[in-house]
Amino acid sequence: MLFLEKFFNPKSVAVVGASRTPGKIGYTILENLKYSFNGKIYPINPNAIEILGLKAYPSVLDVEEPIDHAIIVVPAEIVLKVIKEGIKKKIKVFTIISSGFSEIGEKERELELKKLCKTSRKIRILGPNCIGVYKKDLDMIFFPKKRLKRPPEGFISFITQSGAFGSILLDIMANEGVGVSKFISIGNKVDIDEIELIKYLEKDLSTRCIAIYLESVKDGLEFIKTAKRVTKTKPIVCFKAGKTEKGVEAVASHTGALAGSAQIYSAAFKQAGIIEAKSSEEIFDYAKALANQPVLKDNKIAVVTDGGGFGIVATDTAINCGLELPSLENSSIKALKSFLPPYASTKNPIDITGDATVERYQKTLEIVLKDKNVSGVACIALMQIPTLTDEIVDVLKDCKVFGKPITVCSAGSDYVLERNRKLERLGIPVYPTPERAVKALKVLYEYGKILKRK
Ligand code: ACO
């Protein structure tokens, strides 16, 4: 696994195909690297002397100092040539951004790359046809920061077979304040694949949930074996794309892979303890709950709401997905009645009504989260009501001390989104609908069951 350290924590990086022209991929990669990475950067371009204030070199062979990691961003026809130069330079790890391999039918070119990797035995390759790696201090994504925001640091690590799917998700996560530890785009995975990365992330202390966008797996048995072990300590949530006949065809022309049957994947995920996301929305929803909240130990939840209708929708969703809303203990009901207005409801769902204050939320949540009949809470906090102040953010954050999972539904526009971002940064997963907040709790229940498996 040492070589993966060089992918994530290199001391020096070369950008082979660093471009002088703003707007080109090789320019943007260099720019993003320059403003994120603290080590040495070597732009490689035979036609340039200097790019973005950094001295450029005609070839990696002209650099005197050692290079840990080379990012390749030249046209596919010359990728093999520059890799061979890299091998001479004793570079150990390569990320190949270039497209133009098996995904367009250039199977021979990809095979040659594979052979080169195998025969040299000393090099490892990420890609080709990928976006590479993103972490706070190593940003090689070729999207300009003005167009694609970077998320804050957090506990989700994301492996993606589609660079576009992954990076757009990064933008969405950044907008919502959801934290990311590592992002790895694997593209055609000529060498490094999801299995190796799962093994690496298993031991990575800053990863609490592994999220995967997957189109294909080459070694199914090893994938299941690895995931089965890893999910005993770390959740994996996976979204498999390419499930229909047409979708399978699309996968072949995207990453040159065979997608396989949807049923087989679902069965394999189940066996391996992987939480299956059925949509691009679900992978994001589930990963942020799994990365930041404890598991739900049984299926008993409470819904706390300041909006009656939202509470009913949350209740219906809970029942439909196999969760229960038990009555609270008598002592809890009595305690709630002592301060709630007579028009509030102490039945589960607990409706603290449209004039709820921060204090009302705080007292209610404390009573409910201490209640022995309740193992987790879906809290609907509609921030628009005039009585609710910004301290609601701290009240929800402080719920962590009770050791039970909480998900929040907070729907709305700008005013609300600003508060939601704060909550996400504090590790409270927030959803724009009651359905999604409840389904995230259900997934915490599912993962709890996986942990109990023998
Ligand atoms: N070594 C280093 N640099 C070289 C060499 C060489 N031997 N030869 C030429 N260069 C320079 C060029 O001079 C150029 O720099 P300049 O702009 O300053 O002149 C630079 O390398 C790039 O070369 P170009 O020929 O201009 O190539 P271009 O930038 O147009 O395209 C690219 C290269 C981006 C790699 C393209 O071939 C490609 O693959 N694009 C798609 C990439 C992609 O989308 N990948 C991810 C897919 S995501 C997924 O999930 C599937």
Side-chain angles (χ1 to χ4, degrees), residues 17 24-25 38 53 55 66 70 101 103 135 138 163 170 181-182 223 235 243 257 301 319 338 368 371 401 428:
K24 281 176 82 168
I25 287 185
N38 280 325
K55 181 180 180 221
F101 292 83
E103 81 284 359
K135 60 199 261 279
L138 185 69
L170 277 188
S181 171
K182 292 170 189 66
F223 177 76
K243 287 176 172 163
I301 66 157
I319 303 304
S338 72
V368 173
D371 191 294
V401 298
I428 304 293

Side-chain angles (χ1 to χ4, degrees), residues 17 19-20 24 44-47 75 97-99 129-130 162-163 254:
S19 170
R20 294 159 294 178
K24 281 176 82 168
I44 309 295
N45 184 330
N47 307 308
I97 308 295
S98 319
S99 303
N129 190 29
C130 75
S162 159
H254 182 218

Side-chain angles (χ1 to χ4, degrees), residues 47-339:
N47 307 308
I49 297 164
E50 185 200 282
I51 310 172
L52 280 161
L54 298 165
K55 181 180 180 221
Y57 299 80
S59 153
V60 287
L61 294 168
D62 298 302
V63 178
E64 280 175 13
E65 296 84 2
I67 298 170
D68 278 348
H69 185 161
I71 305 167
I72 311 295
V73 61
V74 289
E77 301 79 43
I78 56 170
V79 165
L80 277 150
K81 174 182 164 283
V82 301
I83 297 267
K84 281 177 188 162
E85 287 175 1
I87 293 172
K88 266 197 202 148
K89 174 66 191 159
K90 297 197 166 48
I91 300 173
K92 297 282 188 294
V93 303
F94 297 83
T95 294
I96 306 177
I97 308 295
S98 319
S99 303
F101 292 83
S102 62
E103 81 284 359
I104 56 154
E106 289 285 353
K107 297 213 185 296
E108 202 47 47
R109 185 178 289 152
E110 190 156 311
L111 214 59
E112 263 190 73
L113 194 59
K114 202 175 251 177
K115 267 196 221 149
L116 191 61
C117 192
K118 279 230 164 90
T119 52
S120 85
R121 283 176 168 250
K122 290 184 190 120
I123 65 159
R124 301 305 309 266
I125 293 176
L126 184 66
N129 190 29
C130 75
I131 301 266
V133 169
Y134 168 80
K135 60 199 261 279
K136 193 107 190 124
D137 55 0
L138 185 69
D139 181 350
M140 61 173 81
I141 292 187
F142 65 68
F143 296 91
K145 278 195 183 125
K146 276 190 191 146
R147 298 189 185 189
L148 189 140
K149 279 199 224 172
R150 279 21 177 204
E153 272 181 292
F155 301 112
I156 302 173
S157 281
F158 193 30
I159 302 169
T160 178
Q161 213 167 332
S162 159
F165 184 96
S167 31
I168 301 310
L169 203 61
L170 277 188
D171 198 14
I172 296 170
M173 287 167 118
N175 195 40
E176 298 192 7
V178 178
V180 165
S181 171
K182 292 170 189 66
F183 165 94
I184 314 115
S185 154
I186 50 181
N188 294 10
K189 44 185 181 175
V190 76
D191 178 27
I192 294 168
D193 63 8
E194 62 288 338
I195 300 172
E196 247 175 321
L197 289 166
I198 291 171
K199 286 178 186 166
Y200 177 81
L201 295 172
E202 177 186 16
K203 305 236 156 56
D204 179 39
L205 295 178
S206 63
T207 300
R208 290 193 196 151
C209 173
I210 303 169
I212 311 175
Y213 166 90
L214 201 63
E215 291 177 1
S216 64
V217 173
K218 281 178 195 153
D219 187 347
L221 285 180
E222 184 61 20
F223 177 76
I224 295 176
K225 196 176 123 197
T226 305
K228 216 173 195 171
R229 186 189 67 239
V230 175
T231 52
K232 279 182 188 145
T233 52
K234 225 171 241 192
I236 300 179
V237 52
C238 192
F239 175 41
K240 165 74 178 74
K243 287 176 172 163
T244 59
E245 214 175 293
K246 281 277 171 202
V248 170
E249 273 174 43
V251 167
S253 57
H254 182 218
T255 48
L258 285 170
S261 122
Q263 289 85 344
I264 289 176
Y265 272 96
S266 291
F269 289 167
K270 213 172 207 173
Q271 203 188 332
I274 293 174
I275 307 279
E276 184 174 8
K278 297 262 169 62
S279 67
S280 37
E281 191 176 273
E282 283 184 1
I283 187 171
F284 174 53
D285 282 2
Y286 298 168
K288 65 185 190 180
L290 289 161
N292 293 297
Q293 289 292 310
V295 295
L296 182 67
K297 76 174 171 60
D298 55 36
N299 69 342
K300 298 185 174 43
I301 66 157
V303 171
V304 174
T305 184
D306 59 357
F310 273 67
I312 297 166
V313 177
T315 304
D316 282 344
T317 310
I319 303 304
N320 284 336
C321 69
L323 298 175
E324 281 178 30
L325 274 75
S327 298
L328 302 186
E329 294 175 292
N330 287 336
S331 55
S332 302
I333 295 172
K334 203 170 156 201
L336 286 173
K337 281 193 169 155
S338 72
F339 66 90

